[in-house]
Amino acid sequence: TVLSSTNFSRVERELNPLRNVPKQIVWTKTSIKIMATKEAGEATEKRTPFPSDFEHGKILMARNFRKDLKKPFLYAARLFIMPALFLLWTIGIFMNFQSDQTSSDDMIIAGDYRLFEGEAWDYPSSMKMAGFNSSFVESISSKINATHNEITAVELLTDINDPSDLENACNFISSAAREEICVYFNSTNEYTLYFGGKYQSTPFQSSLAAAQYAIDTAILEMSDGYDPDKVIDIEMTQQAPRFIDKESIDPSLLVTLVPALIHAFTTAFMLIFLVGPVTYEKLNDVTRSFLLVGVKMRTYLMQWVVYHSLNSILIAGIMTVIWIYWRVVTLSNAGLLFVSHYLGLVQLNAVFVLLMQFIEKEELASGMPFLTVIFSCGIGAAIIVLVSWDSVILTILTPLNPFIGII
C-alpha cells in the first residue's frame, strides 16, 4: 500500500488497523511504502482480522472524545453555549412578563380551567365604572369600597351610558391590569371589563380575576334574598374561561416570531463547534487517510453524527429544563419537549456533517451556520407573515431544513 503524505508520523499514528501486522516501512520523500512481511515459522495465510464498520466507528468516536478532553473549555462551550444564550433571552422575558403571572404554587388546574386562591389575589388599584343605571353602578362601587380596601380608587363615570363611550374613555388607561381597569355594566347580571397593554394576549391575569371576584361579590350582596350566613365561602374561583389557544387568541407577530428566531440563532452558535473539526479533517486530508486504511465514508460521517448526537442528549435536557422552568411553553410537558429538542439536534448534526463535505474553504464553513439560519429565518418569517404561523408549508419544509423545523 502506498500512501501519499508529507507527514510520516501522522500517517503512522493513523494506521491503527495494521498495528499488529508484521510490516516493513520504507520512508521516501513523497510516500510511505508499507509491505507485510512474514515472521519465521509463521504461515503465510494468517492475517489480522479487518475491523468492522462498528469497530471503526467506536475507534473514531473514542478518538474524538480524547481530543475534546484535551480542550475542556471548548468542549464545555459546545455543550452549554446554546442553552446559555437562550437562557439570557428567557431571563429577559421572565423579568418583563412572567413576574406578573400568578405563581404555579398558588394555582389549581381542573380540566380546562385554571383556579387559584382568592385570598392571594392581586386587586387592581383603580377602577372606572359606568353602566345602564347610575344608581346601580353607585351601589356596586359602595359595596366594593366597603369590602375591598385593596382597591384604592373607584371612579364613577355617570355621564357615560354606552359601552363604546367607556371604551373610548379608557383608551389611555395603564397597560398593567393591576393598576387600572374599566367596567361597564350592561345589566344587573352582565358587565364588560376593559384593560390595556400586553395583557390583551393573556386575559387570565390575576388582577382581572380579582376585579371579577370583587364585582361578583358586590352584585351578589345586592340581590334579593341574600343572606351572608348561608353563603358558602369559596376560596377558589375560575381564573379564565379556558386556556389560550389559536382559536381564542390571535398573537402578535412579535410574540410569534421572536422565540423562533432567537432559538434558531442560538443553535447556529452551537454548530460552529461541529463544523470546525469536520471541515479541518476534510481540508487537511485526515479524512482521506482514514479512507485509505479501509474506513468507509458512510462510517466516517455516521460516527460524527452519532458522537455529536450523544452530546446532544445533555443539550436537549438543559433546554427542556429552561423551557419548563421559565414557562416558555406553558401547555406542553417535559417529555414531549425533550424529544422535540433532541430530534431537532440530531437533524442539525446530520445535515451539517453532510453539508461540510461539499465546502472547500474553512472560512465559508465557519459562516455556513449563520448563512443558513438567516436564509431559513427569512423563509420562515415570510410564511408566518404572509400565510399563517401554523401553515402546513412549514411542516413540509421541516425535513429539508432543520432551522425551519425549529421555527
Side-chain angles (χ1 to χ4, degrees), residues 34-92:
I34 304 173
M35 295 169 287
T37 60
K38 178 178 65 176
E39 293 182 354
E42 186 178 18
T44 57
E45 65 272 8
K46 185 175 181 180
R47 297 175 180 270
T48 301
F50 193 78
S52 63
D53 291 345
F54 180 74
E55 292 293 331
H56 277 154
K58 288 198 306 181
I59 293 171
L60 293 176
M61 285 192 291
R63 164 185 166 272
N64 294 337
F65 184 63
R66 288 194 299 269
K67 291 175 64 176
D68 284 336
L69 291 181
K70 293 179 180 179
K71 299 178 180 179
F73 292 106
L74 290 179
Y75 188 42
R78 187 176 71 199
L79 295 177
F80 298 109
I81 188 170
M82 177 183 173
L85 291 176
F86 193 78
L87 182 62
L88 292 178
W89 173 73
T90 53
I91 289 177

Side-chain angles (χ1 to χ4, degrees), residues 297-321:
M297 188 63 175
R298 65 171 181 265
T299 304
Y300 176 77
L301 297 180
M302 186 59 68
Q303 62 89 19
W304 278 117
V305 176
V306 173
Y307 177 70
H308 285 283
S309 297
L310 291 175
N311 292 325
S312 297
I313 296 176
L314 177 60
I315 300 175
I318 298 175
M319 290 293 292
T320 302
V321 172

Side-chain angles (χ1 to χ4, degrees), residues 265 267-280 283 352 355-374 403:
F265 273 97
T267 306
F269 282 96
M270 179 202 68
L271 287 174
I272 295 177
F273 296 93
L274 182 148
V275 301
V278 177
T279 306
Y280 173 83
L283 298 180
F352 275 86
L355 182 61
M356 290 304 104
Q357 304 309 308
F358 303 96
I359 304 299
E360 300 296 335
K361 293 185 178 181
E362 192 169 355
E363 295 80 4
L364 179 60
S366 300
M368 187 56 66
F370 294 99
L371 295 175
T372 308
V373 75
I374 292 173
F403 290 114

Side-chain angles (χ1 to χ4, degrees), residues 100-128:
D100 293 330
Q101 307 291 305
T102 303
S103 172
S104 58
D105 297 335
D106 300 329
M107 248 183 333
I108 292 180
I109 297 178
D112 291 334
Y113 298 92
R114 181 176 296 197
L115 311 176
F116 66 99
E117 295 186 13
E119 296 179 350
W121 285 343
D122 185 12
Y123 292 93
S125 300
S126 174
M127 298 175 64
K128 294 181 179 179

Side-chain angles (χ1 to χ4, degrees), residues 187-235:
S187 64
T188 57
N189 59 359
E190 180 183 349
Y191 59 89
T192 305
L193 296 179
Y194 298 92
F195 51 95
K198 61 189 177 184
Y199 297 102
Q200 293 175 6
S201 294
T202 54
F204 49 83
Q205 298 301 310
S206 59
S207 297
L208 295 179
Q212 295 179 57
Y213 178 75
I215 296 171
D216 292 345
T217 303
I219 293 176
L220 180 62
E221 292 178 359
M222 292 177 57
S223 62
D224 296 334
Y226 173 75
D227 185 353
D229 296 331
K230 296 181 180 180
V231 175
I232 299 176
D233 185 17
I234 301 178
E235 296 181 354

Side-chain angles (χ1 to χ4, degrees), residues 1-3 18 32-35 292:
T1 303
V2 179
L3 302 180
L18 298 177
I32 304 173
K33 296 181 180 179
I34 304 173
M35 295 169 287
L292 290 173

Side-chain angles (χ1 to χ4, degrees), residues 8 24-28 31-35:
F8 172 79
Q24 175 186 1
I25 300 178
V26 181
W27 169 252
T28 67
S31 65
I32 304 173
K33 296 181 180 179
I34 304 173
M35 295 169 287

